């Protein structure tokens, strides 16, 4: 069991608000790690800190044992951290294939390699027919697939997904689960932030629970949902 | 007669700052509501001054009456600019940059054709008073009291009047204020009118002490820009503090460096401030 | 990739307007258009470079850099200073003045790159204003020529002096015109290559969602700096050529009304980031402006500005590019008949 991603006592404050309070995590190579928590508990902020889009106030981030706390976001992507943003985030006025190809171009120096990876990623996510379209023409599911293609193209060690099932029909969510499982079996580690426990419980090996910036529980999904503190947080919210 | 230079700097930085304050207040409030700077703002300054000039010289109106009419004209012109030019472009800030700039050139060119480049001036409030041994034109006191009055009334308006509070709500967030049942476009109209009045008032107050030419609107515009950048968009207190920092810095520099370079020295200060604190001195992080 | 390929016919139809424009601009002077129009066209050719400078950077990233007129004028001033104080001939001064001006633009405007939106625009607009203040104020005005400007010691293409007076002026006018045309054509072709390369699309990605760009692996700072560098290079080349062809060098080169507003307008009316739209608008608008002089004289500024306001208010996304696309569709229809 070797650690691929580690967060050590990560603290982030926005003015007076402590969005993350000494959060520590250890994600193991090859697993699917879930993060749950009510609205505003700091899940997205944690992903932002891991990808480097937000500078943390205290603590360290480790990738494969290497301290990456000071690296810029694009440098972390090159090291193998890919990210799917909350909500559908794409470049709205660039055609689908460019949305993917630009990521590839900034990771691989070689143009032909970048093009080849792009074709492959688009094929894997079933977007080849829409490659020349603008993203506005895509359905929510296809948009998610576009975001998935963007992750695949960077050939990541670890993929961070922020609410990947939001806005999908049950069938589409199943397809997404299939894709995640498939690439997990091919060696990609996943960290998945999700509200819908239903899906997460089925695929996650381990789950951490955040509440108001504090990690209140961690463990196997079936144990976590029985944790009285977690139940209180979730019932207290809903 | 020997006059202490520090007294001079202190006194005149207060006088100048008060004019910057009145002019910038309208600009800042408008900027806060519309989220876009109105580059035609300086035109309202020359417009009201020219209108007052025309009313007093050609029609022979009393200066006070003429001034009030001129200020009203500036307010209405501002309203018109807002309706016709700014509103349609709210979604494309770049295009408002261009269109309001075009309006400014239209005014400049119009007065260049009609009035020529010869500087004109308006009647000064007569008399001189000695303050700390420094002779000061009574007109400065007129300006100072008018500025103070305008500052206080705007502060009170924004704080206590329903309309004023709507202005602040819209400046905070368009979406949020819509949810509260405020019509941002209506508020924008009010903001344009008030801003026009403030710019116009500065024009008729300041022109007697300065020469008026068709290009006289640019200086105040850039000053307002700088002050808003320094004080933060839409912040009344910020504008107050920034105006005085600006005025004091400029007046001190005038005595140190001479008037040429001094007029741009505050701009350099502001560039430095912006680079290190992009949200301005008083502004909040978005 | 299949989807990235454009059909050969597309390319032909795309190039035809360009070739026609090139042919017209090349042959026009031979029709004896007169010195006035030759000067105007020279100016418009050089302004194309400024238009492209703005469109390549601001049109793609939406960082509105209003400091372009500073870069333009700074190149002119560097050129004049090198010539006046060091006696370097204009042609060689240009080779130095362009890098100097690019360097200064970067040094001065680069710190502001982290600022987004309106503040960046304000800041970049203050730079030319400050420069004008410095040039016209004592003691700098003594060295920089003040209001009267700096006069070159030699002409650009100074050997023309040895020509008989009768043809000297004509020779210079034609030479300047063709040099400006060559700069415009080369500038346009390169801009098109850059603007629609992967790098150009990265600039657009930064404009559309900077956080997403950075978060998906694009080095946004590097992209912005390089984009800014290219844009400054365009403005510097334009400024140096313009200054050398129209002495003396005065603050008119830096005044935003002269050297920023017309190209910026072309970019907006032409359609942000489309390059071809702004390029066409550059010629249409600037030539219209000159034509208005003959029609209504001094009222032309007002008429022109009104026209602009109307166009921009009705179609804020620009009209020229859309019109161009429609025209191409029509042409393609004709071709497939
Ligand atoms: N850039 C920011 N500036 C200030 N506060 C922020 C910022 N980003 C997040 N916050 C605050 O930090 C807290 C945590 O936000 P975060 O987006 O991480 O929550 P979340 O768990 O992802 O919620 P959700 O389930 O709604 O996505 C919230 O109170 C939020 O308002
Ligand atoms: Mg979130």
């Amino acid at each position: 069991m070797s650690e691929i991603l580690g967060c050590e006592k990560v603290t982030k404050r926005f003015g007076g608000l402590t969005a993350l309070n000494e959060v520590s995590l250890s994600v193991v190579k090859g697993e699917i790690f879930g993060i749950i928590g009510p609205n505003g508990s700091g899940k997205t902020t944690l992903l932002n800190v891991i990808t480097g889009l937000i500078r943390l106030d205290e603590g360290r981030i480790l990738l494969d044992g290497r301290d990456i706390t000071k690296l810029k976001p694009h440098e972390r992507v090159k090291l193998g951290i890919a990210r799917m943003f909350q909500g559908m985030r794409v470049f709205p006025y660039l055609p689908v294939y460019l949305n993917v190809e630009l990521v590839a171009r900034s990771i691989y120096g070689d143009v032909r390699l970048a093009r080849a990876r792009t074709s492959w990623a688009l094929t894997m996510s079933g977007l080849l027919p829409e490659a020349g379209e603008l993203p506005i023409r895509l359905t929510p599911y296809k948009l998610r697939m576009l975001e998935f293609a963007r992750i695949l193209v960077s050939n990541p060690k670890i993929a961070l997904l922020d609410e990947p099932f939001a806005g999908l029909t049950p069938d589409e969510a199943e397809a997404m689960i299939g894709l995640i499982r498939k690439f997990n079996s091919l060696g990609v580690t996943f960290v998945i932030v999700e509200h819908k426990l239903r899906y997460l419980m089925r695929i996650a090996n381990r789950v951490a629970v955040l509440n108001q910036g504090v990690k209140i529980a961690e463990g196997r999904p079936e144990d976590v949902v029985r944790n009285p503190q977690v139940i209180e947080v979730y019932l207290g919210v809903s | 007669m020997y006059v202490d230079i520090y007294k001079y700097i202190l006194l005149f930085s207060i006088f100048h700052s008060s004019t910057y304050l009145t002019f910038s207040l309208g600009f800042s409030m408008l900027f806060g509501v519309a989220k876009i700077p109105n580059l035609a703002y300086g035109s309202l300054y020359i417009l009201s001054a020219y209108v007052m000039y025309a009313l007093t010289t050609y029609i022979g109106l009393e200066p006070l009456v003429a001034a009030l009419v001129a200020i009203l004209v500036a307010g209405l012109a501002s309203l018109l600019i807002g309706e016709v030019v700014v509103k349609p472009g709210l979604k494309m800030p770049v295009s408002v940059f261009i269109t309001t700039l075009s309006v400014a050139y239209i005014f400049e060119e119009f007065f260049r054709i009609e009035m020529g480049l010869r500087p004109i001036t308006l009647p000064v409030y007569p008399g001189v008073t000695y303050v700390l041994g420094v002779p000061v034109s009574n007109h400065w006191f007129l300006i100072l009291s008018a500025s103070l009055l305008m500052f206080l009334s705007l502060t009170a308006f924004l704080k206590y009047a329903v309309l004023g509070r709507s202005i602040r709500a819209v400046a905070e967030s368009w979406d949020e204020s819509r949810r509260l049942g405020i019509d941002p476009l209506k508020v924008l109209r009010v903001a344009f009118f008030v801003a026009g009045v403030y710019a116009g008032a500065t024009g008729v107050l300041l022109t007697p002490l300065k020469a008026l030419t068709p290009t006289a609107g640019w200086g105040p515009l850039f000053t307002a820009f700088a002050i808003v950048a320094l004080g933060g968009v839409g912040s009344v207190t910020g504008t107050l503090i920034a105006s005085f920092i600006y005025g004091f810095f400029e007046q001190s520099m005038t005595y140190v460096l001479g008037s040429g370079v001094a007029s741009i020295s505050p701009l350099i200060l502001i560039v430095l401030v912006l680079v290190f604190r992009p949200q301005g001195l008083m502004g909040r992080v978005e | 990739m299949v989807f990235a390929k454009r059909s050969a016919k597309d390319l032909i139809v795309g190039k035809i307007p360009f070739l026609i424009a090139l042919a017209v601009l090349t042959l026009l002077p031979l029709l004896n258009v007169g010195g006035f129009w030759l000067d105007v066209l020279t100016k418009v050719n050089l302004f194309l470079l400024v238009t492209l400078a703005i469109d390549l950077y601001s049109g793609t990233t939406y960082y509105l850099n209003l400091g372009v007129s500073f870069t333009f004028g700074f190149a002119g001033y560097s050129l004049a200073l090198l010539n006046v104080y060091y006696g370097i001939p204009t042609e060689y001064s240009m080779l130095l003045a362009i890098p100097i001006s690019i360097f200064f633009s970067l040094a001065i405007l680069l710190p502001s790159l982290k600022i987004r939106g309106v503040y960046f625009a304000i800041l970049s607009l203050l730079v030319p204003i400050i420069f004008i203040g410095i040039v016209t104020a004592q003691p700098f005005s003594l060295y920089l020529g003040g209001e009267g400007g700096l006069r070159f010691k030699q002409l650009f293409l100074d050997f023309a002096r040895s020509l008989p007076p009768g043809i000297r002026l004509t020779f210079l006018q034609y030479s300047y015109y063709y040099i400006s045309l060559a700069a415009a054509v080369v500038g346009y072709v390169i801009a098109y290559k850059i603007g629609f390369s992967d790098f150009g699309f990265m600039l657009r990605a930064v404009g559309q969602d900077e956080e997403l760009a950075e978060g998906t692996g694009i080095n946004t700072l590097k992209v912005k700096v390089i984009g800014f560098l290219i844009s400054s290079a365009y403005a510097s080349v334009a400024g140096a050529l313009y200054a050398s062809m129209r002495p003396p060098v005065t603050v008119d080169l830096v005044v935003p009304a002269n050297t920023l507003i017309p190209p910026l307008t072309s970019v907006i009316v032409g359609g942000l980031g489309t390059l071809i739209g702004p390029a066409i608008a550059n010629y249409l608008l600037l030539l219209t402006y000159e034509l208005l002089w003959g029609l209504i004289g001094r009222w032309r500024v007002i008429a022109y500005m009104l026209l602009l306001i109307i166009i921009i208010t009705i179609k804020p996304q620009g009209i020229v590019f859309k019109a161009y696309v429609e025209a191409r569709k029509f042409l393609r229809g004709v071709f497939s008949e």
Side-chain angles (χ1 to χ4, degrees):
Chain A
M1 289 243 304
S2 62
E3 177 189 275
I4 182 159
L5 175 76
C7 301
E8 290 180 359
K9 296 204 166 178
V10 169
T11 301
K12 175 69 205 176
R13 296 180 204 94
F14 292 115
L17 175 90
T18 307
L20 294 174
N21 195 353
E22 302 208 339
V23 175
S24 295
L25 289 179
S26 175
V27 179
V28 174
K29 204 167 268 176
E31 76 173 329
I32 296 180
F33 190 92
I35 299 177
I36 61 173
N39 281 99
S41 55
K43 306 181 295 292
T44 300
T45 306
L46 183 59
L47 293 194
N48 278 337
V49 165
I50 296 172
T51 49
L53 285 172
I54 288 183
R55 285 229 191 95
L56 41 67
D57 296 320
E58 282 152 43
R60 295 202 304 163
I61 309 285
L62 302 171
L63 182 73
D64 266 341
R66 174 179 168 192
D67 189 345
I68 58 164
T69 318
K70 295 223 163 61
L71 294 189
K72 294 255 181 61
H74 66 266
E75 294 168 328
R76 300 187 197 198
V77 176
K78 272 199 188 121
L79 290 178
I81 301 182
R83 158 102 182 255
M84 181 190 284
F85 285 83
Q86 185 171 358
M88 318 271 176
R89 286 275 285 276
V90 294
F91 301 118
Y93 305 115
L94 293 183
V96 166
Y97 81 92
L98 267 178
N99 264 278
V100 181
E101 194 182 290
L102 288 190
V103 176
R105 270 310 297 277
S106 44
I107 291 174
Y108 312 108
D110 186 52
V111 183
R112 264 180 303 168
L113 177 59
R115 294 250 156 93
R117 291 288 311 181
T118 305
S119 291
W120 172 78
L122 287 173
T123 315
M124 291 315 287
S125 41
L127 280 173
L128 218 41
E130 290 92 352
E133 305 268 1
L134 285 185
I136 328 170
R137 314 274 302 265
L138 300 185
T139 61
Y141 175 69
K142 288 277 182 182
L143 272 178
R144 270 280 129 80
M145 286 299 118
L146 173 54
E147 296 188 278
F148 207 84
R150 213 165 48 198
I151 287 180
L152 291 183
V153 81
S154 69
N155 198 12
K157 289 184 186 140
I158 181 163
L160 316 172
L161 314 184
D162 201 343
E163 307 199 0
F165 304 111
L168 299 189
T169 66
D171 286 347
E172 293 166 350
E174 290 304 326
M176 178 64 97
I177 287 182
L179 268 178
I180 293 173
R181 284 217 170 105
K182 175 171 172 194
F183 283 94
N184 183 238
S185 69
L186 289 174
V188 181
T189 310
F190 281 90
V191 173
I192 303 177
V193 165
E194 194 46 78
H195 263 315
K196 294 183 181 163
L197 301 185
R198 191 151 53 105
Y199 298 121
L200 198 58
M201 291 303 141
R202 280 176 44 204
I203 49 171
N205 305 101
R206 286 192 303 144
V207 173
V209 188
L210 282 182
N211 184 34
Q212 299 188 346
V214 181
K215 188 174 88 174
I216 56 169
E218 186 183 305
R220 296 189 313 166
E222 52 274 28
D223 296 339
V224 165
V225 286
R226 274 192 231 109
N227 181 323
Q229 232 184 324
V230 175
I231 294 172
E232 192 195 313
V233 164
Y234 263 81
L235 291 183
V237 166
S238 56
Chain B
M1 194 178 76
Y2 171 77
V3 183
D4 199 347
I5 202 164
Y6 298 105
K7 287 183 198 161
Y8 230 102
I9 293 178
L10 190 68
L11 266 178
F12 279 93
S13 61
I14 291 176
F15 289 131
H16 279 103
S17 301
S18 71
T19 67
Y20 300 152
L21 176 62
T22 28
F23 191 73
S24 309
L25 274 177
F27 185 72
S28 175
M29 180 191 59
L30 195 55
F31 200 160
V33 172
K35 310 282 181 241
I36 299 168
N38 172 13
L39 298 181
Y41 192 63
S43 316
L44 304 167
Y45 173 98
I46 56 168
L47 174 67
S48 78
Y50 274 119
V51 168
M52 177 164 170
Y53 177 80
L55 292 177
T56 46
T57 23
Y58 303 140
I59 306 181
L61 232 57
E62 281 295 305
L64 184 63
V65 182
L68 291 177
V69 174
I71 293 170
L72 188 67
V73 170
L76 293 176
S78 176
L79 194 61
L80 196 68
I81 292 172
E83 289 298 305
V84 179
V85 177
V86 177
K87 228 179 241 180
L90 280 177
K91 286 203 190 78
M92 281 280 287
V94 189
S95 66
V96 178
F97 249 91
I98 303 291
T99 47
T100 52
L101 207 55
S102 306
V103 171
Y105 284 120
I106 289 176
F107 275 106
E108 179 183 327
E109 224 19 64
F110 178 77
F111 289 120
R112 198 194 296 271
I113 293 170
E114 291 297 319
M115 311 295 289
L117 279 170
R118 189 177 53 88
I120 58 156
T121 189
L122 290 171
V124 181
Y125 191 81
V128 170
T129 308
Y130 283 83
V131 185
L132 305 167
V134 180
V136 178
S137 161
N138 281 348
H139 196 91
W140 274 121
F141 290 101
L142 176 69
I143 291 179
L144 192 63
S145 21
S147 300
L148 197 65
L149 184 72
M150 288 170 70
F151 172 72
L152 292 177
S153 46
L154 188 69
T155 316
F157 173 69
L158 290 178
K159 206 162 188 179
Y160 301 114
V162 179
L163 216 49
R165 272 191 244 150
S166 313
I167 287 182
R168 285 198 307 173
V170 175
E172 197 76 31
S173 157
W174 278 54
D175 292 336
E176 198 59 44
S177 58
R178 268 204 200 92
R179 237 168 277 145
L180 296 172
I182 301 170
D183 177 7
L185 291 181
K186 200 178 121 198
V187 169
L188 189 63
R189 221 170 285 151
V190 177
F192 263 105
F193 181 74
V194 175
V197 166
Y198 274 63
T202 321
V204 297
L205 281 168
L206 204 52
T207 301
L209 297 177
K210 303 207 164 176
L212 178 67
T213 60
T215 54
W218 296 108
L221 176 71
F222 285 116
T223 304
F225 241 140
I227 286 172
V228 170
L230 198 60
V233 174
S235 157
V236 175
T237 328
T239 309
L240 177 71
I241 295 170
S243 300
F244 279 87
I245 293 177
Y246 189 102
F248 185 71
F249 191 72
E250 188 194 51
Q251 289 302 308
S252 325
M253 283 300 162
T254 309
Y255 288 95
V256 179
L257 297 174
S259 62
V261 188
S263 63
I264 50 155
S265 57
L267 298 183
I268 298 175
L269 174 79
I270 269 112
V271 168
L272 293 179
V273 168
L274 266 186
V275 167
F276 293 106
R277 264 189 78 87
Q279 70 277 23
L281 282 183
M282 307 290 291
R284 283 157 299 175
V285 193
E286 283 187 20
Chain C
M1 262 175 293
V2 203
F3 42 80
K5 264 195 200 131
R6 293 155 80 199
S7 71
K9 202 194 301 164
D10 249 8
L11 283 175
I12 294 170
V13 177
K15 278 199 180 129
I16 282 180
F18 176 73
L19 292 175
I20 293 175
L22 186 57
V24 170
L25 286 171
T26 312
L27 298 176
L28 210 55
L30 306 180
L31 296 178
N32 212 358
V33 289
F36 172 77
W37 283 105
L38 213 51
D39 275 354
V40 166
L41 282 166
T42 304
K43 177 181 160 183
V44 180
N45 283 338
L46 294 178
F47 267 48
L48 175 67
L49 297 178
V50 188
T51 301
L52 295 173
I54 297 174
D55 199 31
L56 270 177
Y57 187 70
S58 302
T60 53
T61 63
Y62 305 146
Y63 276 88
L64 189 56
N65 174 19
L66 302 178
V68 169
S69 58
F70 164 76
T71 310
F72 185 88
F74 199 87
Y77 269 94
S78 315
L79 184 69
L81 289 175
L82 286 169
N83 181 259
V84 172
Y85 291 108
Y86 299 97
I88 308 173
T90 325
E91 295 82 4
Y92 298 111
S93 303
M94 220 177 272
L95 297 179
L96 279 173
I98 291 167
I100 290 176
S101 148
I102 296 173
F103 175 78
F104 270 87
S105 304
L106 273 181
I108 292 173
L109 288 161
L110 210 54
S112 57
L113 275 189
K114 60 181 180 185
I115 305 172
R116 248 211 107 86
V118 176
Y119 275 122
F120 177 75
I122 298 177
L123 192 63
S124 63
L125 186 59
L126 287 177
V127 173
I129 304 298
I130 290 173
F131 186 72
I132 294 170
I134 291 176
V135 170
T136 49
Q138 300 263 17
F140 306 105
S141 58
L142 295 177
Y143 304 101
L144 298 173
E147 304 273 350
L150 282 170
R151 273 171 207 289
F152 290 101
K153 287 218 172 107
Q154 298 100 6
L155 295 172
F156 177 42
L157 307 184
D158 200 54
F159 60 84
R161 259 188 225 281
S162 57
L163 296 172
I167 58 165
R168 186 193 296 155
L169 188 64
T170 319
F171 171 78
L172 283 178
Q173 273 177 336
Y174 276 84
S175 312
Y176 290 172
Y177 175 76
Y178 281 109
I179 290 173
S180 73
L181 182 62
V185 171
V186 172
Y188 179 74
V189 171
I190 294 178
Y192 211 84
K193 284 244 151 45
I194 296 173
F196 294 101
S197 67
D198 278 350
F199 175 74
F201 288 116
M202 282 185 194
L203 284 170
R204 289 179 172 81
V206 167
Q208 289 167 28
D209 192 335
E210 191 164 350
E211 191 189 50
L212 180 65
E214 178 72 30
T216 52
I218 296 175
N219 187 345
T220 52
L221 184 65
K222 187 172 143 196
V223 167
K224 282 193 285 182
V225 170
I226 295 177
F228 197 90
L229 196 87
I230 295 170
S231 172
S232 302
Y234 268 82
S236 299
V237 170
L241 284 173
Y242 188 89
S244 64
M245 293 178 184
R246 300 176 155 237
V249 169
T250 67
V251 283
D252 282 351
L253 291 186
V254 195
V255 172
N258 299 333
T259 54
L260 172 72
I261 303 308
L264 184 57
T265 307
S266 305
V267 169
I268 291 170
V269 173
L272 291 180
T274 62
L275 294 171
I276 177 98
I280 298 172
N282 178 66
Y283 284 92
L284 287 183
L285 290 176
L286 292 177
L287 291 177
T288 307
Y289 185 65
E290 296 300 336
L291 275 174
L292 283 174
W293 181 242
L295 292 176
I296 47 177
R298 54 214 294 231
W299 290 91
R300 70 169 170 166
V301 177
I302 294 182
Y304 180 76
M305 293 295 169
L306 280 176
L307 188 73
L308 270 186
I309 293 176
I310 293 170
I311 293 178
I312 293 176
T313 307
I314 294 175
K315 284 264 185 265
Q317 305 87 2
I319 49 170
V320 176
F321 181 68
K322 287 211 177 112
Y324 172 75
V325 170
E326 290 304 315
R328 261 179 66 162
K329 267 191 206 143
F330 173 74
L331 271 178
R332 211 175 296 154
V334 174
F335 264 72
S336 56
E337 287 296 304

